[in-house]
Amino acid sequence: MADLEQALSFGTAAATYDQFRPSYPLAALTWAIDTDAPSDLVDLAAGTGILTRQLLGLGHRVVPVEPDPGMRAQLAAATPGTTALAGSAEAIPLPDGGADVIMSGQAYHWFDRERAHAETARVLRPGGRFAPIWNSRDESVPWVAALSALLADFAGKPSVDTAPDLTSFGDAFEPLERAEFRHDTSHTADTLVGLVSTRSYYLTASPVRQRELETAVRDLAAHHPDLAGRPSFDLPYRTTVYRARRRP
């Protein structure tokens, strides 16, 4: 129940989520899709449309699917002409075999995998791809490792956004391929606090605990040797993509 509460917590902060969460490197998206031709894509658990807008910008036809009404409302506001369908990875409101690619940004770790794999296989045409993608903080950088330790201590567990170690999407799919890409986003202490405030463990915490985390993040930005005295800094990410074709 706690995981479900966290998974559905983001709608209360949809505008903040849309403002501070990072997008994905173009190279990662083109590798996942593996075609320059305009294609029929599904953005599964689309959230506020961060990935949807990038895919639209690449010239593809995109149908976002999202269970949280707050996130769907923000997606519609930020993505003119696009309306997200109410649905989930376990119940995709689309017909059989109509999608060339199904992507999912920063969400696969919330799915019921067996049911989600069956649904993606149903909606994909034969030869179509399923490609979940994650941005994970690059903890080889000392200050990022310190931030992750701080957040893990607050949440009581490591970040769920880290890409899982996957071996298969099930019998309906060909063997998995995996690739990793790097990019970074620019931050100040204020925007780093804004980013942290979009995390599920922050959103489900008490106001007192939220203020404690905000203070700890500001202290890190002010005093860590790599950041002290710097008005802005880059947060590096490692972006992991899995892809697999649906078998004929």
Side-chain angles (χ1 to χ4, degrees):
M1 185 63 69
D3 285 345
L4 179 61
E5 179 188 8
Q6 289 193 331
L8 297 177
S9 65
F10 300 107
T12 60
T16 303
Y17 187 107
D18 202 45
Q19 179 180 1
F20 292 113
R21 284 295 183 105
S23 58
Y24 302 93
L26 178 61
L29 302 184
T30 55
W31 184 85
I33 299 166
D34 198 32
T35 179
D36 294 327
S39 302
D40 293 312
L41 272 61
V42 177
D43 182 3
L44 194 55
T48 62
I50 293 170
L51 177 57
T52 292
R53 289 190 290 276
Q54 288 191 274
L55 298 175
L56 289 169
L58 291 174
H60 299 291
R61 300 174 292 273
V62 185
V63 177
V65 175
E66 167 58 39
D68 190 305
M71 300 292 261
R72 292 198 304 272
Q74 178 62 35
L75 186 151
T79 319
T82 302
T83 301
L85 302 180
S88 67
E90 300 79 18
I92 304 173
L94 292 169
D96 296 357
D100 296 309
V101 180
I102 296 177
M103 292 196 67
S104 182
Q106 226 70 22
Y108 174 91
H109 48 274
W110 298 113
F111 297 170
D112 179 324
R113 292 186 185 180
E114 185 173 346
R115 294 170 59 201
H117 294 165
E119 271 292 85
T120 53
R122 178 186 66 79
V123 173
L124 283 169
R125 63 168 177 78
R129 293 184 183 277
F130 179 39
I133 183 171
W134 290 263
N135 284 318
S136 302
R137 293 181 299 272
D138 185 353
E139 295 174 357
S140 68
V141 177
W143 81 263
V144 180
L147 174 66
S148 291
L150 185 161
L151 298 180
D153 181 64
F154 181 89
K157 59 183 179 181
S159 170
V160 296
D161 281 356
T162 302
D165 186 13
L166 300 179
T167 58
S168 172
F169 290 147
D171 293 342
F173 289 90
E174 295 178 359
L176 285 179
E177 299 175 273
R178 182 185 186 276
E180 186 174 287
F181 305 83
R182 293 178 183 269
H183 72 130
D184 52 60
T185 57
S186 180
H187 279 281
T188 65
D190 287 342
T191 64
L192 188 63
V193 169
L195 176 66
V196 168
S197 75
T198 69
R199 312 303 305 198
S200 59
Y201 43 77
Y202 174 96
L203 295 169
T204 56
S206 70
V208 171
R209 288 284 287 154
Q210 289 178 345
R211 288 193 292 273
E212 290 174 354
L213 183 57
E214 292 166 10
T215 298
V217 172
R218 290 187 187 280
D219 284 347
L220 176 71
H223 300 299
H224 192 281
D226 293 344
L227 302 182
R230 296 175 58 186
S232 64
F233 44 88
D234 289 339
L235 172 55
Y237 287 98
R238 301 161 68 117
T239 299
T240 303
V241 191
Y242 288 95
R243 70 182 185 188
R245 291 188 183 276
R246 185 193 183 284
R247 296 186 189 276

